[in-house]
Amino acid sequence: VTTMLPSGVLVKPSVPGAMPMLATVTSTLPTLVSVTVVMTAAAVRYAEPPSLARAVDLMYEWLEARTGLARSDLFIDTGSGLSYRTELSARQLVKVLRAGAGLAAETAASSPSRDAYLASLAIGGTDGTLRARFTSQLRGLVRGKTGTLRRVVALSGLVAAAAGRTLAVSIVSNGHAPRRRARVRAAPEQ
């Protein structure tokens, strides 16, 4: 059985514990490793040598199938999403989160890929890139991914809300002065 993770990664969990292991690795993946994982998945999917171009094709396929976002709606040029050329709005990122987390009607069923995706998100106040963030009332209630470039700060993820609801959120700041990065990064916690 081949499983596709929300990032477009195909996994053949033939080794017991492969999905939890992948989730653990992806919660702290350096950019280069995440690009390599997506390139490898594309190589398996298309039965050809790894390439970034085919990895991006695979990601576009997943986005179209799971979120309805067409290639013409956005621009992706890496497997990690961390690029000055990537163009996704916060609203589009929320669509991706909802699909990956099984919050969208068409992806609501539990699956190994959904469970691995959720496990790959850092937990506020606990681990990964959110270990030192959301350490008070939101500790353990926020799961997400962060992204930082010189003039870009992003936080996208899921928040456990009242009555068992889960909210998908995305905050992206572009163009701030680099010296303001810490203030911009801390703003969602206020």
mmCIF file of all heavy atoms in Angstrom, residues 15-58:
data_model
loop_
_atom_site.group_PDB
_atom_site.id
_atom_site.type_symbol
_atom_site.label_atom_id
_atom_site.label_comp_id
_atom_site.label_asym_id
_atom_site.label_seq_id
_atom_site.Cartn_x
_atom_site.Cartn_y
_atom_site.Cartn_z
ATOM 1 N N VAL A 15 7.709 -1.222 6.455
ATOM 2 C CA VAL A 15 8.435 -1.452 7.690
ATOM 3 C C VAL A 15 7.523 -1.049 8.837
ATOM 4 O O VAL A 15 6.981 0.056 8.837
ATOM 5 C CB VAL A 15 9.732 -0.603 7.728
ATOM 6 C CG1 VAL A 15 10.448 -0.779 9.049
ATOM 7 C CG2 VAL A 15 10.615 -0.941 6.553
ATOM 8 N N PRO A 16 7.314 -1.946 9.836
ATOM 9 C CA PRO A 16 6.460 -1.559 10.962
ATOM 10 C C PRO A 16 6.965 -0.261 11.595
ATOM 11 O O PRO A 16 8.151 -0.095 11.825
ATOM 12 C CB PRO A 16 6.604 -2.736 11.931
ATOM 13 C CG PRO A 16 7.005 -3.887 11.064
ATOM 14 C CD PRO A 16 7.835 -3.285 9.953
ATOM 15 N N GLY A 17 6.045 0.666 11.833
ATOM 16 C CA GLY A 17 6.414 1.934 12.450
ATOM 17 C C GLY A 17 6.931 2.979 11.487
ATOM 18 O O GLY A 17 7.389 4.029 11.906
ATOM 19 N N ALA A 18 6.841 2.742 10.168
ATOM 20 C CA ALA A 18 7.380 3.699 9.194
ATOM 21 C C ALA A 18 6.659 5.044 9.253
ATOM 22 O O ALA A 18 7.294 6.084 9.191
ATOM 23 C CB ALA A 18 7.300 3.130 7.776
ATOM 24 N N MET A 19 5.339 5.032 9.379
ATOM 25 C CA MET A 19 4.599 6.292 9.396
ATOM 26 C C MET A 19 4.936 7.121 10.640
ATOM 27 O O MET A 19 5.221 8.299 10.516
ATOM 28 C CB MET A 19 3.088 6.046 9.289
ATOM 29 C CG MET A 19 2.679 5.431 7.948
ATOM 30 S SD MET A 19 3.188 6.414 6.524
ATOM 31 C CE MET A 19 1.807 7.520 6.429
ATOM 32 N N PRO A 20 4.931 6.534 11.864
ATOM 33 C CA PRO A 20 5.318 7.347 13.028
ATOM 34 C C PRO A 20 6.744 7.870 12.929
ATOM 35 O O PRO A 20 7.032 8.996 13.321
ATOM 36 C CB PRO A 20 5.163 6.383 14.213
ATOM 37 C CG PRO A 20 4.182 5.372 13.741
ATOM 38 C CD PRO A 20 4.429 5.229 12.255
ATOM 39 N N MET A 21 7.656 7.062 12.363
ATOM 40 C CA MET A 21 9.036 7.504 12.217
ATOM 41 C C MET A 21 9.101 8.701 11.268
ATOM 42 O O MET A 21 9.746 9.698 11.556
ATOM 43 C CB MET A 21 9.926 6.388 11.685
ATOM 44 C CG MET A 21 11.372 6.821 11.484
ATOM 45 S SD MET A 21 12.315 5.664 10.493
ATOM 46 C CE MET A 21 11.570 5.882 8.902
ATOM 47 N N LEU A 22 8.386 8.620 10.150
ATOM 48 C CA LEU A 22 8.377 9.719 9.201
ATOM 49 C C LEU A 22 7.782 10.969 9.840
ATOM 50 O O LEU A 22 8.295 12.064 9.670
ATOM 51 C CB LEU A 22 7.593 9.343 7.943
ATOM 52 C CG LEU A 22 7.588 10.396 6.843
ATOM 53 C CD1 LEU A 22 9.007 10.654 6.348
ATOM 54 C CD2 LEU A 22 6.700 9.978 5.704
ATOM 55 N N ALA A 23 6.723 10.802 10.618
ATOM 56 C CA ALA A 23 6.108 11.945 11.295
ATOM 57 C C ALA A 23 7.091 12.598 12.259
ATOM 58 O O ALA A 23 7.186 13.821 12.324
ATOM 59 C CB ALA A 23 4.851 11.499 12.043
ATOM 60 N N THR A 24 7.826 11.795 12.993
ATOM 61 C CA THR A 24 8.804 12.331 13.936
ATOM 62 C C THR A 24 9.891 13.104 13.211
ATOM 63 O O THR A 24 10.257 14.208 13.604
ATOM 64 C CB THR A 24 9.446 11.195 14.756
ATOM 65 O OG1 THR A 24 8.405 10.523 15.462
ATOM 66 C CG2 THR A 24 10.474 11.724 15.733
ATOM 67 N N VAL A 25 10.389 12.559 12.126
ATOM 68 C CA VAL A 25 11.441 13.216 11.362
ATOM 69 C C VAL A 25 10.931 14.515 10.762
ATOM 70 O O VAL A 25 11.597 15.541 10.824
ATOM 71 C CB VAL A 25 11.985 12.279 10.261
ATOM 72 C CG1 VAL A 25 12.904 13.020 9.324
ATOM 73 C CG2 VAL A 25 12.717 11.110 10.887
ATOM 74 N N THR A 26 9.715 14.515 10.209
ATOM 75 C CA THR A 26 9.231 15.716 9.531
ATOM 76 C C THR A 26 8.872 16.843 10.472
ATOM 77 O O THR A 26 8.771 17.979 10.055
ATOM 78 C CB THR A 26 8.028 15.420 8.614
ATOM 79 O OG1 THR A 26 6.978 14.859 9.400
ATOM 80 C CG2 THR A 26 8.405 14.495 7.480
ATOM 81 N N SER A 27 8.669 16.566 11.764
ATOM 82 C CA SER A 27 8.348 17.664 12.680
ATOM 83 C C SER A 27 9.549 18.558 12.923
ATOM 84 O O SER A 27 9.411 19.681 13.383
ATOM 85 C CB SER A 27 7.804 17.131 14.009
ATOM 86 O OG SER A 27 8.812 16.484 14.738
ATOM 87 N N THR A 28 10.746 18.084 12.597
ATOM 88 C CA THR A 28 11.954 18.892 12.798
ATOM 89 C C THR A 28 12.853 18.899 11.564
ATOM 90 O O THR A 28 14.034 19.177 11.659
ATOM 91 C CB THR A 28 12.757 18.344 13.999
ATOM 92 O OG1 THR A 28 13.035 16.968 13.770
ATOM 93 C CG2 THR A 28 11.986 18.505 15.294
ATOM 94 N N LEU A 29 12.292 18.578 10.403
ATOM 95 C CA LEU A 29 13.092 18.465 9.183
ATOM 96 C C LEU A 29 13.763 19.760 8.762
ATOM 97 O O LEU A 29 13.102 20.787 8.648
ATOM 98 C CB LEU A 29 12.202 18.052 8.014
ATOM 99 C CG LEU A 29 11.986 16.584 7.774
ATOM 100 C CD1 LEU A 29 11.062 16.397 6.594
ATOM 101 C CD2 LEU A 29 13.257 15.840 7.565
ATOM 102 N N PRO A 30 15.052 19.711 8.502
ATOM 103 C CA PRO A 30 15.674 20.847 7.834
ATOM 104 C C PRO A 30 15.145 20.920 6.395
ATOM 105 O O PRO A 30 14.701 19.929 5.834
ATOM 106 C CB PRO A 30 17.161 20.510 7.837
ATOM 107 C CG PRO A 30 17.326 19.399 8.812
ATOM 108 C CD PRO A 30 15.996 18.693 8.886
ATOM 109 N N THR A 31 15.185 22.077 5.831
ATOM 110 C CA THR A 31 14.669 22.299 4.484
ATOM 111 C C THR A 31 15.244 21.322 3.469
ATOM 112 O O THR A 31 14.510 20.741 2.674
ATOM 113 C CB THR A 31 14.959 23.749 4.058
ATOM 114 O OG1 THR A 31 14.334 24.619 5.000
ATOM 115 C CG2 THR A 31 14.437 24.035 2.674
ATOM 116 N N LEU A 32 16.550 21.108 3.483
ATOM 117 C CA LEU A 32 17.177 20.216 2.504
ATOM 118 C C LEU A 32 16.621 18.808 2.601
ATOM 119 O O LEU A 32 16.362 18.159 1.592
ATOM 120 C CB LEU A 32 18.696 20.194 2.694
ATOM 121 C CG LEU A 32 19.463 19.268 1.749
ATOM 122 C CD1 LEU A 32 19.248 19.670 0.294
ATOM 123 C CD2 LEU A 32 20.940 19.276 2.078
ATOM 124 N N VAL A 33 16.393 18.330 3.809
ATOM 125 C CA VAL A 33 15.868 16.979 3.978
ATOM 126 C C VAL A 33 14.440 16.899 3.451
ATOM 127 O O VAL A 33 14.077 15.942 2.774
ATOM 128 C CB VAL A 33 15.953 16.529 5.449
ATOM 129 C CG1 VAL A 33 15.306 15.167 5.635
ATOM 130 C CG2 VAL A 33 17.404 16.494 5.914
ATOM 131 N N SER A 34 13.612 17.901 3.724
ATOM 132 C CA SER A 34 12.234 17.854 3.241
ATOM 133 C C SER A 34 12.189 17.875 1.715
ATOM 134 O O SER A 34 11.377 17.175 1.107
ATOM 135 C CB SER A 34 11.386 18.971 3.836
ATOM 136 O OG SER A 34 11.834 20.228 3.440
ATOM 137 N N VAL A 35 13.062 18.640 1.092
ATOM 138 C CA VAL A 35 13.130 18.653 -0.369
ATOM 139 C C VAL A 35 13.542 17.276 -0.879
ATOM 140 O O VAL A 35 12.963 16.756 -1.842
ATOM 141 C CB VAL A 35 14.114 19.743 -0.870
ATOM 142 C CG1 VAL A 35 14.353 19.616 -2.362
ATOM 143 C CG2 VAL A 35 13.584 21.128 -0.539
ATOM 144 N N THR A 36 14.495 16.658 -0.230
ATOM 145 C CA THR A 36 14.964 15.330 -0.629
ATOM 146 C C THR A 36 13.854 14.296 -0.488
ATOM 147 O O THR A 36 13.686 13.436 -1.359
ATOM 148 C CB THR A 36 16.200 14.925 0.210
ATOM 149 O OG1 THR A 36 17.202 15.924 0.048
ATOM 150 C CG2 THR A 36 16.729 13.578 -0.214
ATOM 151 N N VAL A 37 13.078 14.375 0.581
ATOM 152 C CA VAL A 37 11.973 13.435 0.780
ATOM 153 C C VAL A 37 10.950 13.574 -0.344
ATOM 154 O O VAL A 37 10.504 12.576 -0.924
ATOM 155 C CB VAL A 37 11.309 13.652 2.168
ATOM 156 C CG1 VAL A 37 9.989 12.905 2.270
ATOM 157 C CG2 VAL A 37 12.254 13.228 3.277
ATOM 158 N N VAL A 38 10.577 14.789 -0.692
ATOM 159 C CA VAL A 38 9.587 14.998 -1.748
ATOM 160 C C VAL A 38 10.145 14.551 -3.102
ATOM 161 O O VAL A 38 9.432 13.950 -3.906
ATOM 162 C CB VAL A 38 9.110 16.467 -1.784
ATOM 163 C CG1 VAL A 38 8.161 16.703 -2.942
ATOM 164 C CG2 VAL A 38 8.438 16.825 -0.477
ATOM 165 N N MET A 39 11.426 14.820 -3.357
ATOM 166 C CA MET A 39 12.035 14.369 -4.615
ATOM 167 C C MET A 39 12.047 12.839 -4.698
ATOM 168 O O MET A 39 11.779 12.265 -5.758
ATOM 169 C CB MET A 39 13.456 14.922 -4.750
ATOM 170 C CG MET A 39 13.490 16.399 -5.083
ATOM 171 S SD MET A 39 15.153 17.117 -5.095
ATOM 172 C CE MET A 39 16.027 16.039 -6.197
ATOM 173 N N THR A 40 12.328 12.193 -3.590
ATOM 174 C CA THR A 40 12.337 10.730 -3.567
ATOM 175 C C THR A 40 10.933 10.187 -3.803
ATOM 176 O O THR A 40 10.748 9.220 -4.552
ATOM 177 C CB THR A 40 12.901 10.220 -2.223
ATOM 178 O OG1 THR A 40 14.218 10.753 -2.057
ATOM 179 C CG2 THR A 40 12.939 8.708 -2.177
ATOM 180 N N ALA A 41 9.937 10.795 -3.179
ATOM 181 C CA ALA A 41 8.558 10.370 -3.392
ATOM 182 C C ALA A 41 8.162 10.500 -4.857
ATOM 183 O O ALA A 41 7.511 9.613 -5.415
ATOM 184 C CB ALA A 41 7.620 11.192 -2.518
ATOM 185 N N ALA A 42 8.551 11.601 -5.489
ATOM 186 C CA ALA A 42 8.238 11.787 -6.910
ATOM 187 C C ALA A 42 8.951 10.746 -7.761
ATOM 188 O O ALA A 42 8.380 10.237 -8.727
ATOM 189 C CB ALA A 42 8.618 13.193 -7.353
ATOM 190 N N ALA A 43 10.182 10.416 -7.412
ATOM 191 C CA ALA A 43 10.927 9.391 -8.161
ATOM 192 C C ALA A 43 10.194 8.053 -8.094
ATOM 193 O O ALA A 43 10.080 7.344 -9.097
ATOM 194 C CB ALA A 43 12.347 9.258 -7.618
ATOM 195 N N VAL A 44 9.665 7.723 -6.929
ATOM 196 C CA VAL A 44 8.910 6.480 -6.771
ATOM 197 C C VAL A 44 7.605 6.562 -7.546
ATOM 198 O O VAL A 44 7.246 5.653 -8.291
ATOM 199 C CB VAL A 44 8.632 6.194 -5.271
ATOM 200 C CG1 VAL A 44 7.657 5.047 -5.104
ATOM 201 C CG2 VAL A 44 9.936 5.923 -4.531
ATOM 202 N N ARG A 45 6.905 7.673 -7.406
ATOM 203 C CA ARG A 45 5.597 7.839 -8.058
ATOM 204 C C ARG A 45 5.697 7.785 -9.578
ATOM 205 O O ARG A 45 4.887 7.165 -10.249
ATOM 206 C CB ARG A 45 4.992 9.178 -7.612
ATOM 207 C CG ARG A 45 3.815 9.678 -8.418
ATOM 208 C CD ARG A 45 2.545 8.925 -8.038
ATOM 209 N NE ARG A 45 1.358 9.611 -8.436
ATOM 210 C CZ ARG A 45 0.871 9.609 -9.668
ATOM 211 N NH1 ARG A 45 1.490 8.982 -10.617
ATOM 212 N NH2 ARG A 45 -0.239 10.248 -9.937
ATOM 213 N N TYR A 46 6.699 8.459 -10.139
ATOM 214 C CA TYR A 46 6.828 8.547 -11.589
ATOM 215 C C TYR A 46 7.814 7.531 -12.164
ATOM 216 O O TYR A 46 8.037 7.520 -13.373
ATOM 217 C CB TYR A 46 7.250 9.961 -12.001
ATOM 218 C CG TYR A 46 6.259 11.033 -11.595
ATOM 219 C CD1 TYR A 46 6.638 12.096 -10.795
ATOM 220 C CD2 TYR A 46 4.936 10.986 -12.036
ATOM 221 C CE1 TYR A 46 5.738 13.084 -10.424
ATOM 222 C CE2 TYR A 46 4.027 11.966 -11.673
ATOM 223 C CZ TYR A 46 4.440 13.016 -10.864
ATOM 224 O OH TYR A 46 3.548 13.985 -10.512
ATOM 225 N N ALA A 47 8.440 6.722 -11.323
ATOM 226 C CA ALA A 47 9.409 5.703 -11.751
ATOM 227 C C ALA A 47 10.511 6.303 -12.632
ATOM 228 O O ALA A 47 10.799 5.816 -13.716
ATOM 229 C CB ALA A 47 8.704 4.557 -12.468
ATOM 230 N N GLU A 48 11.102 7.377 -12.133
ATOM 231 C CA GLU A 48 12.202 8.029 -12.839
ATOM 232 C C GLU A 48 13.174 8.602 -11.812
ATOM 233 O O GLU A 48 12.850 8.660 -10.628
ATOM 234 C CB GLU A 48 11.687 9.107 -13.799
ATOM 235 C CG GLU A 48 10.776 10.115 -13.178
ATOM 236 C CD GLU A 48 10.129 11.046 -14.197
ATOM 237 O OE1 GLU A 48 9.483 10.569 -15.143
ATOM 238 O OE2 GLU A 48 10.270 12.257 -14.021
ATOM 239 N N PRO A 49 14.349 9.021 -12.239
ATOM 240 C CA PRO A 49 15.323 9.565 -11.281
ATOM 241 C C PRO A 49 14.764 10.778 -10.532
ATOM 242 O O PRO A 49 13.937 11.521 -11.066
ATOM 243 C CB PRO A 49 16.506 9.978 -12.164
ATOM 244 C CG PRO A 49 16.373 9.149 -13.394
ATOM 245 C CD PRO A 49 14.888 8.966 -13.598
ATOM 246 N N PRO A 50 15.199 10.968 -9.276
ATOM 247 C CA PRO A 50 14.710 12.110 -8.503
ATOM 248 C C PRO A 50 15.006 13.442 -9.187
ATOM 249 O O PRO A 50 16.080 13.630 -9.748
ATOM 250 C CB PRO A 50 15.493 12.019 -7.187
ATOM 251 C CG PRO A 50 15.998 10.633 -7.119
ATOM 252 C CD PRO A 50 16.169 10.175 -8.534
ATOM 253 N N SER A 51 14.026 14.340 -9.131
ATOM 254 C CA SER A 51 14.248 15.693 -9.631
ATOM 255 C C SER A 51 13.306 16.637 -8.909
ATOM 256 O O SER A 51 12.187 16.259 -8.548
ATOM 257 C CB SER A 51 14.011 15.780 -11.143
ATOM 258 O OG SER A 51 12.640 15.823 -11.445
ATOM 259 N N LEU A 52 13.750 17.842 -8.703
ATOM 260 C CA LEU A 52 12.915 18.837 -8.044
ATOM 261 C C LEU A 52 11.706 19.178 -8.903
ATOM 262 O O LEU A 52 10.600 19.363 -8.385
ATOM 263 C CB LEU A 52 13.728 20.088 -7.727
ATOM 264 C CG LEU A 52 13.009 21.168 -6.925
ATOM 265 C CD1 LEU A 52 12.435 20.612 -5.619
ATOM 266 C CD2 LEU A 52 13.927 22.325 -6.652
ATOM 267 N N ALA A 53 11.887 19.225 -10.205
ATOM 268 C CA ALA A 53 10.771 19.555 -11.104
ATOM 269 C C ALA A 53 9.634 18.544 -10.955
ATOM 270 O O ALA A 53 8.459 18.927 -10.868
ATOM 271 C CB ALA A 53 11.246 19.611 -12.551
ATOM 272 N N ARG A 54 9.972 17.253 -10.901
ATOM 273 C CA ARG A 54 8.934 16.231 -10.764
ATOM 274 C C ARG A 54 8.337 16.249 -9.359
ATOM 275 O O ARG A 54 7.162 15.962 -9.172
ATOM 276 C CB ARG A 54 9.489 14.853 -11.107
ATOM 277 C CG ARG A 54 9.838 14.722 -12.583
ATOM 278 C CD ARG A 54 8.648 15.017 -13.479
ATOM 279 N NE ARG A 54 7.895 13.797 -13.679
ATOM 280 C CZ ARG A 54 6.678 13.733 -14.166
ATOM 281 N NH1 ARG A 54 6.051 14.827 -14.510
ATOM 282 N NH2 ARG A 54 6.066 12.591 -14.309
ATOM 283 N N ALA A 55 9.140 16.599 -8.349
ATOM 284 C CA ALA A 55 8.626 16.727 -6.989
ATOM 285 C C ALA A 55 7.572 17.831 -6.941
ATOM 286 O O ALA A 55 6.503 17.664 -6.338
ATOM 287 C CB ALA A 55 9.766 17.024 -6.019
ATOM 288 N N VAL A 56 7.856 18.933 -7.589
ATOM 289 C CA VAL A 56 6.898 20.042 -7.642
ATOM 290 C C VAL A 56 5.637 19.611 -8.397
ATOM 291 O O VAL A 56 4.519 19.921 -7.980
ATOM 292 C CB VAL A 56 7.557 21.297 -8.260
ATOM 293 C CG1 VAL A 56 6.537 22.373 -8.581
ATOM 294 C CG2 VAL A 56 8.634 21.840 -7.314
ATOM 295 N N ASP A 57 5.805 18.852 -9.490
ATOM 296 C CA ASP A 57 4.643 18.326 -10.217
ATOM 297 C C ASP A 57 3.755 17.493 -9.296
ATOM 298 O O ASP A 57 2.531 17.617 -9.320
ATOM 299 C CB ASP A 57 5.085 17.458 -11.400
ATOM 300 C CG ASP A 57 5.688 18.248 -12.548
ATOM 301 O OD1 ASP A 57 5.478 19.478 -12.615
ATOM 302 O OD2 ASP A 57 6.391 17.622 -13.378
ATOM 303 N N LEU A 58 4.380 16.642 -8.497
ATOM 304 C CA LEU A 58 3.632 15.790 -7.577
ATOM 305 C C LEU A 58 2.878 16.624 -6.543
ATOM 306 O O LEU A 58 1.722 16.345 -6.216
ATOM 307 C CB LEU A 58 4.578 14.807 -6.880
ATOM 308 C CG LEU A 58 3.930 13.796 -5.937
ATOM 309 C CD1 LEU A 58 2.937 12.912 -6.676
ATOM 310 C CD2 LEU A 58 5.003 12.959 -5.270
#
